[in-house]
Amino acid sequence: MLRHLSGASVIALCLATAAAAQEAHDHAGEESVTLYRVFVGDHEAPRVTALDLADPANRWTFGTKGQAKLYSEADGAVIVAAQSFDDQVNFIASGVSLHDHGEHQDIEIADPEAIAVVLEGPRPFHVLGHDGKLAINFDAGGYAEILDEHALSEGRVEAVRFPQAHAHHGVVVPMGDIRISSVASEEPVEAGTLPPRVGAQVFAPDGEPAGELATCSGLHGEAFSGAYLVFGCDEGVLTVIEEGDAPVFRMLPYPADFPKGETTGTLLGVSAVQMFLGNHGKTGLVVIDPAGEPHMRRIELPFRRVDFVLDPARPAHGYVLTEDGTLHRVNMLNAEIEASARVTEHYSMDGDWNLPRPRLAMAGDEIVMTDPNAGLVRRIATADMSELGTIPVEGKPYNIAVAGGTGVVE
Ligand code: ZN
């Protein structure tokens, strides 16, 4: 509990500092501006639509090769559009960049613009930004491309290839001078299928092993919070922490009272408190404290989960949409659903994972949610989960990412 309290006081301090900075800048005559730019990938058309949340008539369209999953990277300066079914990754300069100056941050605003260089390769899937690097796993190629985020934020696509022993649906985590990669089984698999993951291991940037394999069967899902990196596994959650010069792996098994056979495969890391929110099966969420007991607390949802996000402004809060069309606010400190509101028609989780269903992202005090069947982006207030408005988007709006924030325009 002490950790949670200290986390909360850190937040209070940050707010106080921000308020002081705001005041200082008001005195200096500088203008504080908030801009959230929303990027929406269509479910069918090879297209990404960008629009300004507060002024959606400011709108741009970018062509892709296929359906794109979107990631806001390099502090929101770049939107990564990974097209797993079409073997291509496009990059869009978001036009919104925030530069931290300690006591305040600057915001620079321009039109979003496609970066001319695209990456082509077999089945790009998981994208992970960490330590100023961006790793894109090419599942069917047996490698990841590692890009420098700063170069990318200046429009330069400088990829360095990290080779894996076997092509698999994997992930590579750049950590200083080392790489932590998922590792696939050596067992032969049928043509056209990829081998299962068996664990994670430390490698040198050239792909040479630099540590022992840590078991994590079916490894899927990864996130950072505080000093920890975690992976979801069949056995539990694998935690990784840097102690001395080498990462230390430790398995946190699922507690005995959790439903058997259900696992964690999607994880989100809280930014201001050392804590994670993951799924546990289709109808459960799990709050994970990697350092303190209890390590895992489960929250049972009334229906199957469609998507979930964390609220960076309120680190105790996450939001999960269930298939009945209800959005729930999760309080992670007491592992409870503390409020629920109906926000859309129902979207059954029966059928393929990639059917058009809503996706969530955060934009300051709002949850922005695509509603593919309604052709809308819905704006929902975090305070009471009421609908603030809707933004029509052509086609079937599906994947979503947000760039932006509040800064001083110099
Ligand atoms: Zn995956």
Side-chain angles (χ1 to χ4, degrees):
M1 202 57 217
L2 191 61
R3 192 170 33 260
H4 297 151
L5 286 173
S6 63
S9 52
V10 168
I11 298 145
L13 269 175
C14 290
L15 290 174
T17 311
Q22 174 63 58
E23 193 169 287
H25 282 288
D26 286 348
H27 285 300
E30 285 169 338
E31 194 191 351
S32 184
V33 169
T34 297
L35 177 78
Y36 289 101
R37 188 163 284 165
V38 180
F39 294 79
V40 178
D42 194 78
H43 189 268
E44 281 142 28
R47 179 178 68 221
V48 174
T49 301
L51 54 89
D52 288 347
L53 185 61
D55 192 359
N58 286 344
R59 196 177 279 234
W60 302 263
T61 303
F62 298 94
T64 53
K65 196 172 172 193
Q67 186 194 91
K69 183 153 166 61
L70 304 175
Y71 301 83
S72 180
E73 298 292 343
D75 294 326
V78 178
I79 301 296
V80 181
Q83 298 147 67
S84 305
F85 307 119
D86 297 273
D87 296 344
Q88 184 165 304
V89 182
N90 288 54
F91 303 95
I92 301 167
S94 72
V96 193
S97 47
L98 294 160
H99 303 281
D100 188 31
H101 293 287
E103 100 287 8
H104 77 282
Q105 68 181 1
D106 287 345
I107 188 166
E108 280 179 49
I109 299 166
D111 284 354
E113 205 174 336
I115 293 173
V117 178
V118 302
L119 282 182
E120 290 175 310
R123 204 166 165 77
F125 222 107
H126 282 233
V127 173
L128 181 95
H130 186 63
D131 257 3
K133 298 270 195 290
L134 188 72
I136 304 169
N137 209 84
F138 286 79
D139 289 357
Y143 63 87
E145 295 284 15
I146 314 287
L147 291 88
D148 183 80
E149 283 199 338
H150 182 72
L152 194 59
S153 73
E154 294 181 340
R156 287 176 285 127
V157 178
E158 297 169 357
V160 176
R161 190 164 293 192
F162 172 85
Q164 293 159 321
H166 301 283
H168 67 285
H169 180 54
V171 64
V172 174
V173 183
M175 237 189 208
D177 294 336
I178 61 161
R179 307 283 176 259
I180 296 176
S181 175
S182 52
V183 173
S185 164
E186 301 278 338
E187 305 282 311
V189 289
E190 277 177 49
T193 64
L194 294 173
R197 284 86 63 197
V198 295
Q201 191 170 353
V202 175
F203 295 88
D206 65 359
E208 275 300 305
E212 298 297 308
L213 176 75
T215 296
C216 174
S217 306
L219 183 148
H220 196 269
E222 64 286 327
F224 287 91
S225 178
Y228 281 87
L229 160 68
V230 297
F231 296 106
C233 321
D234 293 349
E235 300 87 356
V237 170
L238 182 66
T239 71
V240 188
I241 187 168
E242 274 189 279
E243 279 175 14
D245 13 314
V248 175
F249 293 82
R250 179 176 172 223
M251 176 62 71
L252 296 178
Y254 299 117
D257 60 349
F258 275 27
K260 296 283 171 279
E262 298 198 343
T263 63
T264 296
T266 304
L267 286 154
L268 303 172
V270 181
S271 51
V273 182
Q274 189 164 279
M275 190 162 58
F276 297 88
L277 186 63
N279 76 301
H280 186 257
K282 291 184 167 72
T283 60
L285 293 177
V286 57
V287 179
I288 301 163
D289 180 339
E293 306 265 4
H295 292 301
M296 293 189 212
R297 289 170 297 159
R298 193 177 191 279
I299 302 164
E300 179 70 17
L301 301 171
F303 293 92
R304 289 174 292 186
R305 173 193 88 261
V306 179
D307 196 17
F308 66 116
V309 285
L310 297 179
D311 185 343
R314 292 159 206 82
H317 289 171
Y319 298 90
V320 56
L321 178 73
T322 48
E323 61 187 332
D324 61 325
T326 301
L327 188 68
H328 311 272
R329 185 196 300 133
V330 172
N331 184 319
M332 287 184 274
L333 296 184
N334 50 22
E336 278 175 8
I337 294 174
E338 62 179 18
S340 302
R342 184 78 187 269
V343 292
T344 179
E345 292 300 309
H346 85 276
Y347 278 91
S348 169
M349 288 304 293
D350 286 336
D352 190 78
W353 67 272
N354 194 35
L355 289 175
R357 300 187 185 94
R359 293 289 181 267
L360 308 173
M362 295 299 303
D365 294 332
E366 298 182 27
I367 303 142
V368 286
M369 181 187 86
T370 54
D371 193 337
N373 289 348
L376 296 173
V377 168
R378 295 186 188 274
R379 304 174 59 182
I380 300 157
T382 55
D384 60 1
M385 294 195 290
S386 62
E387 187 172 278
L388 298 168
T390 59
I391 302 171
V393 176
E394 187 196 349
K396 280 200 182 304
Y398 181 42
N399 288 314
I400 185 166
V402 174
T406 300
V408 173
V409 179
E410 300 213 316

